[in-house]
């Protein structure tokens, strides 16, 4: 018990303190979550991805296995969600929302800081690969689900080009492949922006949670939350074993897969009007309950 309390206090509680500050900013000062989300998404996250990969000791095959794990976890959770939804008699919009909240975890705002606090920078580099891959899936598969067939494949593919972190990864891979040295004139501002990424993500998380309300279908929300927090870690542990991921790679992949529901799903649900209240409540409740599952998982890893 002492170990669990120590892990919670050092690795998870700091995130909730910062998220609490974001919650208060939104509640008391009506701060614009959209503006801060844009700053994080367009300016800070690409720099974080670039710095983490350029300074990482990870090899190409390791990055490939981590990306593959993100894809397989997402597919496996989608299959579980579809099976679990059969007896629920959900409408088309509700089914899309249910799949969204189960398939996509909060690897950015929440997962990356937890990995950094618990396992250090090398694990954070591994987690960055998982996060970027998951982001690509969110803006392709996630958009397809939210649009419920109203968006063409071409528009979904075009959406990938609008993910700034992709360009950060591409630039980092170019540097690693060519062996060129990034001048300090560029690396220092990139480093400063990268350092600001994680705290900004957590503030945005707290600000977005401020909009939660009482769920209309609590049993459905409970099932979605249970799949996200209880089934996902087991799926991730099994896939990590199958893919031969160990050490920091296993720690990073399993932790990011086990995060609560991704905040970005609320944006997709609002954009396409697929049960936005259900999605927001799934995000809120899974985030509040996540310390109960993440703390023993971190101790195990």
């Amino acid at each position: 018990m002492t170990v669990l309390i120590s892990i919670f206090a050092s690795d998870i509680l700091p995130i909730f303190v910062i998220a609490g500050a974001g919650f208060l900013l939104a509640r008391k000062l009506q701060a614009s979550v959209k503006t801060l989300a844009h700053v994080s998404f367009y300016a800070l996250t690409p720099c974080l991805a670039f710095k983490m990969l350029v300074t990482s000791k990870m090899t190409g095959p390791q990055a490939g296995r981590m990306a593959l794990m993100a894809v397989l976890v997402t597919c496996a959770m989608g299959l579980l969600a579809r099976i679990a939804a059969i007896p629920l008699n959900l409408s088309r919009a509700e089914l899309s929302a249910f799949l969204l909240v189960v398939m996509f975890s909060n690897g950015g705002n929440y997962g990356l800081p937890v990995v950094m606090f618990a396992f250090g920078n090398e694990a954070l580099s591994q987690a960055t690969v998982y996060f970027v891959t998951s982001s690509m899936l969110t803006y392709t598969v996630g958009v397809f689900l939210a649009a419920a067939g109203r968006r063409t494949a071409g528009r979904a593919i075009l959406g990938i080009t609008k993910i700034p972190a992709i360009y950060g990864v591409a630039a980092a891979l170019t540097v690693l492949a060519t062996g060129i040295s990034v001048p300090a004139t560029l690396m220092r501002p990139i480093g400063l922006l990268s350092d600001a990424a994680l705290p900004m993500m957590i503030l945005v998380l707290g600000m977005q949670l401020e909009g939660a309300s009482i769920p209309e279908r609590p049993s459905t929300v409970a099932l979605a939350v249970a799949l996200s927090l209880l089934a996902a870690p087991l799926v991730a542990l099994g896939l990590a074993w199958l893919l031969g991921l160990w050490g920091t790679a296993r720690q990073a992949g399993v932790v990011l897969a086990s995060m609560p529901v991704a905040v970005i799903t609320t944006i997709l649900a609002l954009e396409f009007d697929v049960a936005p209240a259900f999605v927001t409540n799934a995000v809120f409740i899974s985030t509040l309950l996540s310390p109960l599952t993440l703390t023993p998982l971190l101790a195990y890893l």
Side-chain angles (χ1 to χ4, degrees), residues 31-42 204 207-208 267:
S32 173
V33 62
K34 187 175 182 179
T35 298
L36 288 187
H38 282 168
V39 170
S40 176
F41 187 71
Y42 288 101
V204 170
M207 295 172 72
Q208 290 183 307
I267 298 173

Side-chain angles (χ1 to χ4, degrees), residues 6 27 52 57 64 72 86 181 208 254:
S6 175
R27 175 63 60 87
M52 287 297 100
K57 298 177 182 178
L72 293 179
I86 293 174
S181 177
Q208 290 183 307
V254 171

Side-chain angles (χ1 to χ4, degrees), residues 29 74 92 104 122 151 174 177 208 222 232 238 257 284 301:
L29 301 179
T74 303
R92 186 176 179 180
F104 301 106
E122 186 56 34
R151 175 162 292 200
T174 301
Q208 290 183 307
F284 183 73
L301 291 172

Side-chain angles (χ1 to χ4, degrees), residues 221-275:
V221 173
L223 178 58
V225 170
L227 288 172
S228 297
L229 296 182
L230 299 177
L234 299 177
V235 169
L237 285 168
L239 288 173
W241 177 76
L242 286 174
L243 294 173
L245 295 175
W246 302 103
T248 55
R250 177 173 177 264
Q251 291 166 337
V254 171
V255 168
L256 259 69
S258 307
M259 286 292 120
V261 180
V263 176
I264 187 62
T265 58
T266 62
I267 298 173
L268 294 178
L270 286 168
E271 179 70 22
F272 296 100
D273 193 26
V274 286

Side-chain angles (χ1 to χ4, degrees), residues 12 39 48 52 63 72 77 114-115 121 128 143 160 210 224 265 276 300:
I12 297 178
V39 170
L48 175 66
M52 287 297 100
L72 293 179
M77 293 307 298
V114 167
V115 168
N121 284 331
T128 301
V143 166
I160 299 178
E210 191 270 338
T265 58
Y300 171 73

